[in-house]
Amino acid sequence: MDTEQQQRAPGGRHVVVVGTQWGDEGKGKVVDWLTEHAQGVVRFQGGHNAGHTLVIRGRKTALQLVPSGIMRDGVRCYIGNGVVLDPAHLLGEIARLEAAGLEVRPRLFISESCPLILPVHVALDLAREGLRESRGSGKIGTTGKGIGPAYEDKVARRALRAQDLKHPARFEARLLELLELHNHTLAWLGAPTLQAAEVFDDAMRAAEQIRPMLADVGWRLHQAHRAGDRLLFEGAQGTLLDIDHGTYPYVTSSNCVAGNAAAGAGVGPDLLHYVLGITKAYTTRVGSGPFPTELPIDAPGTIGHHLSTVGQERGTVTGRARRCGWLDAAALKRSAIINGLSGLCITKLDVLDGLDEVLACVGYRLRGQAIDVLPLDADDIAACEPVYERFPGWSGRTAGLTEWGQLPANARAYLERVQALVGVPIDLVSTGPDRDHTIVLRHPFGR
């Protein structure tokens, strides 16, 4: 495998990092590791519903809106127009990072075109989810952060955007129109309505701090490209949560796939040179929705309980226990097609250490028919019976290893079979949460 990897063409000057599963694949650690070779890191979709946890020299940091590159001195961080921005949360996150001794504001550039998440969006999100639950129609599993309602306003062309923070009178007029509409809905849902004066005053206080960070991000990225900078586009959530390509309706409200890095950052697709798909060595999911390889996690001594506890599988943002199951190579095949993956990074391989046997889903039986790629319809996915391939486990530890040859033979055989099933080479293996716990077979930046 080493020789084959070395013979492949090098990576690209600009790299897109996406999750290939239902999120929580370990993107934050990988982005932080890659920024050693980048001058700029770009968030291009989602909001503070996405959490990236980084461990640097044993210290854990959770990021939600600020790009993971903020942990590297001198790296510029960009929040693109595809991100929905909660001003209060952003400032709170900045304050926590500054309290830890990081320089943030001079290095953070926020697109003027970002739609704003306001308190009314959070109220709508929570009230609608409560209604779905009371009717027994099934919760979507939203984080309740106002992400969906904010994207709705963007698509309906009534959103307040970051640029409106520069124009108080315009902001107030548009806010009054927005609240008039949404307060009617809140009242119908039996939820408290919001007062325009309070929302406006809070927004203007936040605006004083946010305005200096507003920028024409697309233009700045174009200039950085021309200057020879390496750019890293940081995706949030995962491909199977994508609003178009995920397990709809159990999805997020944005496009999480690699192609959206261009639209969500304001650059052309010619700047997307290499796409790295982050893939957990097993599979997890937070919230509702179909999950073909899911295992029960509550009973001690079971595989699901092992994955949940050893993997410390709880959501960075919500704290909810993640559902756990075996790796689904048929679902990864769908992600590879959608994203045009250049390479895979396998994370949390060490969680499988010590298991007698490791399974991977290679296809499904759907109503008597054999298929080898994840279906498009959520009801079809729910009806899928996974077809497994079995592998002997390994007793040796993989945690902290930095060379391919150091991995136990059975672990290497498992990974080689995964890349064959998905049809995408494994270029990186993350063997632990710290920066240095990484095996490099081909560097995405071609180094």
Side-chain angles (χ1 to χ4, degrees):
M1 184 169 177
D2 299 76
T3 303
E4 293 175 1
Q5 293 279 0
Q6 291 165 3
Q7 288 175 348
R8 291 203 308 272
R13 201 173 98 204
H14 307 316
V15 172
V16 185
V17 173
V18 294
T20 61
Q21 297 158 306
W22 281 286
D24 308 309
E25 300 95 347
K27 296 180 291 295
K29 175 261 171 99
V30 178
V31 169
D32 171 69
W33 180 82
L34 284 169
T35 51
E36 181 181 0
H37 304 287
Q39 287 74 50
V41 179
V42 191
R43 271 287 306 274
F44 58 86
Q45 48 78 218
H48 64 302
N49 56 334
H52 290 171
T53 301
L54 292 73
V55 179
I56 301 165
R57 292 185 293 275
R59 180 176 180 175
K60 184 180 292 187
T61 301
L63 299 172
Q64 291 171 266
L65 271 174
V66 178
S68 299
I70 205 68
M71 306 303 292
R72 295 275 188 179
D73 292 341
V75 174
R76 290 177 288 279
C77 294
Y78 305 88
I79 296 179
N81 55 275
V83 175
V84 284
L85 189 78
D86 184 317
H89 181 89
L90 174 67
L91 293 176
E93 193 169 326
I94 290 173
R96 289 192 297 274
L97 292 168
E98 289 178 335
L102 292 171
E103 180 189 54
V104 179
R105 295 170 201 251
R107 296 194 284 133
L108 183 59
F109 303 92
I110 303 166
S111 172
E112 294 189 5
S113 300
C114 286
L116 297 178
I117 299 176
L118 301 171
V120 69
H121 296 125
V122 179
L124 284 168
D125 208 357
L126 295 172
R128 289 171 177 172
E129 191 78 336
L131 179 64
R132 281 190 288 265
E133 186 174 22
S134 67
R135 287 179 170 178
S137 55
K139 298 175 69 174
I140 296 296
T142 171
T143 58
K145 304 290 186 181
I147 307 296
Y151 274 117
E152 289 174 32
D153 280 346
K154 171 185 175 178
V155 174
R157 299 181 296 277
R158 58 176 176 249
L160 280 85
R161 306 208 292 182
Q163 59 195 209
D164 293 316
L165 294 172
K166 299 191 297 184
H167 308 285
R170 187 173 83 187
F171 186 99
E172 185 174 26
R174 293 181 177 177
L175 176 64
L176 289 170
E177 293 179 6
L178 194 69
L179 287 183
E180 182 179 6
L181 172 69
H182 289 326
N183 274 338
H184 280 300
T185 303
L186 288 171
W188 179 80
L189 291 168
T193 57
L194 282 79
Q195 299 298 315
E198 183 177 352
V199 175
F200 176 76
D201 290 344
D202 288 345
M204 289 301 103
R205 281 192 289 270
E208 294 179 9
Q209 298 186 62
I210 291 175
R211 278 194 292 259
M213 293 180 280
L214 295 182
D216 183 343
V217 165
W219 177 250
R220 282 184 173 271
L221 293 174
H222 172 71
Q223 295 294 92
H225 166 71
R226 293 189 62 183
D229 285 1
R230 293 187 185 89
L231 300 174
L232 187 61
F233 295 85
E234 177 183 14
Q237 288 95 27
T239 299
L240 302 182
L241 292 174
D242 183 273
I243 185 66
D244 287 309
H245 304 289
T247 50
Y248 189 91
Y250 305 100
V251 293
T252 192
S253 301
S254 63
N255 288 112
C256 315
V257 295
N260 193 43
V267 299
D270 59 320
L271 263 62
L272 312 181
H273 299 151
Y274 174 105
V275 181
L276 180 66
I278 313 301
T279 304
K280 200 175 285 186
Y282 49 101
T283 309
T284 62
R285 177 166 196 168
V286 173
S288 304
F291 184 174
T293 66
E294 183 173 13
L295 299 168
I297 64 173
D298 294 329
T302 63
I303 296 296
H305 187 264
H306 171 94
L307 298 176
S308 177
T309 54
V310 176
Q312 301 180 43
E313 294 297 350
R314 289 198 169 270
T316 302
V317 174
T318 63
R320 291 180 291 183
R322 297 179 184 131
R323 301 155 65 191
C324 297
W326 292 116
L327 183 78
D328 191 335
L332 290 176
K333 193 179 298 185
R334 174 73 66 185
S335 291
I337 293 168
I338 296 168
N339 290 294
L341 296 179
S342 308
L344 293 173
C345 172
I346 303 296
T347 65
K348 287 200 165 183
L349 180 66
D350 57 296
V351 175
L352 302 182
D353 291 355
L355 295 180
D356 293 332
E357 188 177 49
V358 175
L359 276 62
C361 172
V362 298
Y364 318 100
R365 297 290 299 178
L366 176 58
R367 303 183 185 94
Q369 180 183 359
I371 56 176
D372 64 356
V373 69
L374 190 76
L376 296 174
D377 188 288
D379 288 344
D380 287 343
I381 297 172
C384 281
E385 300 175 20
V387 176
Y388 288 112
E389 196 166 306
R390 298 174 180 273
F391 305 86
W394 51 89
S395 57
R397 284 175 52 84
T398 64
L401 300 183
T402 57
E403 298 291 337
W404 175 258
Q406 296 173 337
L407 291 173
N410 285 350
R412 294 198 303 268
Y414 172 68
L415 294 178
E416 288 171 343
R417 181 59 177 151
V418 168
Q419 73 172 357
L421 289 167
V422 180
V424 178
I426 293 173
D427 285 346
L428 300 172
V429 181
S430 173
T431 58
D434 207 280
R435 280 175 177 168
D436 297 331
H437 299 164
T438 307
I439 296 172
V440 184
L441 296 165
R442 177 176 64 151
H443 201 295
F445 278 118
R447 299 183 65 83

